[in-house]
Each structure stands twice: as structure tokens, then as C-alpha cells.
Amino acid sequence: MEQPIQSVIRFMRREVVLTAAVLLALLSSVFVGPANLDLSYIDWNTLALLFGLMAVMKGFQKAGMFLSLGSRLLEVTASTRSMLAVLVFLPFVCSMVITNDVSLITFVPFGIAVLKIAGQEKLVVPMAVLQTAAANLGSMFTPMGNPQNLYLYGKSGMGFLELCGILFPYVLASGLAILLLIVIRRPEPVKSMSIDVQMGSTKMLALCFAGFAICLLGIFKLLPPLLIAAVIAAFLLAFDRELLLSVDYSLLGTFLAFFIFIGNVSGIESFQAFLSAALAGREVLVSVLASQVISNVPAALLLSGFTSQWESLLIGCNLGGLGTLIASMASLISYKLIAQEYPERKGTYFFWFTVCNVGLLALLLALYFLLEMLF
């Protein structure tokens, strides 16, 4: 009996957010009683689209497409400044399509390998800090960039270009700020390098693009998301079960548990009145603050049940991904990679990560208030 218990404890430590979400769902279900459970809050379309996108992006990652793109861009770098720009803006741009967590899983280890080859390991901490901020900020721009955008996009009923337009000023400002942080570093010459990256077969890439195209049809509301998920799952079950198993089901489980929790607590009048009052006119600030404690995806799921100010909630939950290390769960990916590879630098990384993120959050909040005053 001891071994299974230890396994459960290890799982709970590894999946803290999922564990917390499940406990909240169970406790709230007990509190409201089985007869009052509200399962209509489960957004199956969001879950289906999230599954499809994660599976397709795992396919692209397995095919090595993004690493191949990075290696080609590095061939034209002549200094540490241009090298850093390539390594940082790869996740910034790619996260708009492949999500912030996949970008970091792909490009942080790639960046570390590049810096080792170039003899520039002193840049590992600034590179990883900027890559993490870049992935979180670039992913703001599109519905498929991160989970909270995909959820709020479906929940609000807003259009694709409408969502992009709302977040464009913040993406532009953050891109310029990150570029400035790179430009002010003193450049050192480096030899152009070519990283040997093995690409998947043409057939595999074609299938990934086909899967992505199908997901886009769901995002643009031209195909039912449940049908898309069923087609992708059936295909992977038949031809690539390893990839099917690699999908982040803990994230899907977190969403499901939070949907149940929201359905339960929304029926508690006192809780609903409290949270609705707290949010009224302060959606952006409350979203940012909540994200610092529970991270921005759970914050979006929780707060969406108590406000219809979708634009403010969208802005707040995206800006809320900056700040603390847990404000965006994707940020933990970089921290864990640095802690594993350079344990002696994790304190330095944490310090500069916090300085960079708090600075960028202050900048973008100032931009938000400026835009509110002007428009």
C-alpha cells in the first residue's frame, strides 16, 4: 500500500493546479449537494478544441519543424545580440500559433544547446528570462496562443479579428520592450553556426498541417469542435498512439474540474454577489491580481462565471500572466529547465525573471490605463 500512496503524492506534487482544481470541484459538489450539481458549465467545445490543438502541436514538435526554423535563422547571426534576438523572438512569434508552453518546451532547451555550442553560456539566464516573457506575451495575440484565450474566445462569442485587435497594442508594446532589452546589451562577435536538426517526413508534416487546418475551421466556427477532436483522436489512435498519449491531459482535467467548480459556486448567492461586486468596474485589476496567486488560466475560468465584461477579462488575464512565477503556468517550464541544467543559477534566474516580469506588467498596465483615458 505504501508504493501507491507515494505515487499519488508524487502526482499531486507534480500536478498542483490539477489537484487543487479537483479538490475545489469535489468540495463545492459536497457543499451544494448532488441534486444541485450544474454540469451545464462544462464547455465541451473548448475542451475539444484544446485537445485538437495540443495534439497537432505535439505533432509539429515531434517533426522538428520549429527547431529547423530556428537553426536556419541562426545561420545568419553575427553577434550575441542578433543570436539573442533570434532565440527570443522565435517563441514570441511561434507562441501565437503553437501556444506559450509548447514554445518554451521547444525553444528553451534549443537555446541552451545553441549557447553551449557558441561558448556563450553566460547568456543562459537572460535568454531564458526573455524567452519566457516573449512566449507569454506573444501568445496573447491569437485565440489559439494560450488556453485562456481559447476559452474566453468561445465563451464571449467575439470574432477572431476582434480578439486580435483588442490585444494588438499590448503585443506590439511588449515586443518593442523586449527588443529594447536585447538592443541595450553589448554585442560580442560570434561565428555563424548551423545546428543539425532532423526534420520529420514530408508526409508527417503534411498531416500536421492538415490537422492544424481542421482546428482552424473549428476556431472560425465552421466545423463542430467535438467532431474535430473525434477525428484527430481516431487518427492518432490508429496511427500514432505515442503522440496521443503525450497530450497534456492534466490541463484538460484542470479545465473540466474548474468548470464543475464554477457551476457549483455560481449557484451560491452570497459567493456570486461577493465576486460580482469585486469585479464590477475592476475586471482588469482583479484578473491581474487573481492570476498572481492561482495563475491566469484558472483565473479566467473562475472569473468568467461572474462577469460579462469579456474584453476587460481578456486583457486582465493575459497581462496577469506576468508578475509572479506562477502567474502563467508556462513560466514554470523555463524555471524547471534552468534548475535542472544549471542548479547554481536558479536563484539568479528567479530574481531576474521577477524583475523583468514585474517591469513588463507595470508597463502594460500603464498602457491599459492610458488607452482607457484616450478612448
Side-chain angles (χ1 to χ4, degrees):
M1 287 297 293
E2 191 175 69
Q3 188 62 37
I5 292 174
Q6 290 177 345
S7 298
V8 169
I9 292 173
R10 280 197 298 270
F11 176 83
M12 292 173 68
R13 286 176 176 173
R14 188 173 67 250
E15 300 291 350
V16 175
V17 177
L18 172 60
T19 301
V22 170
L23 288 175
L24 287 172
L26 291 173
L27 288 173
S28 61
S29 297
V30 171
F31 186 80
V32 302
N36 296 315
L37 288 178
D38 189 353
L39 298 182
S40 65
Y41 266 74
I42 299 176
D43 190 337
W44 295 109
N45 286 334
T46 295
L47 292 174
L49 273 178
L50 191 56
F51 165 79
L53 284 167
M54 287 194 296
V56 170
M57 293 313 148
K58 284 289 183 180
F60 277 124
Q61 193 177 19
K62 185 177 178 179
M65 191 184 80
F66 306 114
L67 293 182
S68 177
L69 171 65
S71 66
R72 288 172 184 264
L73 289 172
L74 283 170
E75 291 176 4
V76 298
T77 59
S79 69
T80 52
R81 181 186 288 166
S82 58
M83 179 189 295
L84 201 57
V86 168
L87 293 174
V88 169
F89 277 93
L90 274 169
F92 182 80
V93 174
C94 289
S95 65
M96 299 176 188
V97 180
I98 67 173
T99 75
N100 49 355
D101 55 344
V102 175
S103 289
L104 292 173
I105 290 170
T106 302
F107 291 116
V108 173
F110 176 70
I112 291 173
V114 168
L115 294 179
K116 283 182 177 179
I117 294 171
Q120 296 291 335
E121 286 185 88
K122 62 186 178 182
L123 294 178
V124 162
V125 167
M127 178 207 69
V129 167
L130 291 175
Q131 280 185 323
T132 305
N136 286 327
L137 292 167
S139 68
M140 293 193 296
F141 191 45
T142 63
M144 57 276 197
N146 53 53
Q148 74 268 12
N149 274 13
L150 190 63
Y151 169 66
L152 293 173
Y153 172 73
K155 181 83 172 174
S156 66
M158 66 176 62
F160 185 93
L161 294 179
E162 182 183 359
L163 182 144
C164 296
I166 290 169
L167 294 167
F168 175 73
Y170 305 99
V171 176
L172 178 62
S174 58
L176 292 173
I178 290 171
L179 181 62
L180 178 62
L181 291 173
I182 294 172
V183 169
I184 61 176
R185 294 192 64 87
R186 185 171 61 86
E188 297 178 16
V190 294
K191 295 179 180 179
S192 63
M193 61 179 66
S194 178
I195 311 298
D196 185 26
V197 176
Q198 296 297 320
M199 281 277 284
S201 67
T202 304
K203 180 181 177 182
M204 183 177 184
L205 286 171
L207 288 171
C208 289
F209 277 111
F212 184 58
I214 293 172
C215 289
L216 285 179
L217 292 176
I219 289 171
F220 288 116
K221 299 163 186 170
L222 298 174
L223 275 181
L226 291 173
L227 175 63
I228 293 169
V231 169
I232 292 175
F235 178 84
L236 293 178
L237 188 62
F239 299 104
D240 198 336
R241 295 181 184 180
E242 182 183 348
L243 195 151
L244 181 61
L245 291 172
S246 70
V247 171
D248 187 0
Y249 293 104
S250 65
L251 180 59
L252 295 175
T254 301
F255 265 71
L256 184 63
F258 264 107
F259 285 143
I260 295 171
F261 172 67
I262 293 165
N264 290 337
V265 298
S266 63
I268 303 172
E269 291 185 7
S270 57
F271 186 83
Q272 186 177 37
F274 166 75
L275 206 48
S276 296
L279 278 167
R282 297 178 288 270
E283 290 83 5
V284 171
L285 288 178
V286 172
S287 302
V288 168
L289 291 173
S291 297
Q292 304 310 301
V293 181
I294 63 174
S295 88
N296 55 358
V297 173
L301 296 175
L302 175 62
L303 300 179
S304 66
F306 304 93
T307 181
S308 57
Q309 299 299 313
W310 303 116
E311 180 175 336
S312 297
L313 192 58
L314 182 70
I315 293 169
C317 289
N318 275 285
L319 300 192
L322 297 166
T324 64
L325 188 61
I326 63 168
S328 170
M329 296 308 293
S331 300
L332 291 173
I333 294 170
S334 304
Y335 177 76
K336 288 177 181 177
L337 290 168
I338 294 298
Q340 289 169 3
E341 192 76 21
Y342 301 95
E344 74 283 0
R345 299 191 196 181
K346 62 182 181 182
T348 304
Y349 175 85
F350 179 76
F351 174 78
W352 285 113
F353 171 90
T354 304
V355 170
C356 179
N357 274 258
V358 170
L360 287 169
L361 177 58
L363 171 69
L364 295 182
L365 278 175
L367 175 60
Y368 164 73
F369 287 116
L370 177 62
L371 292 175
E372 284 291 291
M373 289 174 55
L374 294 176
F375 303 104

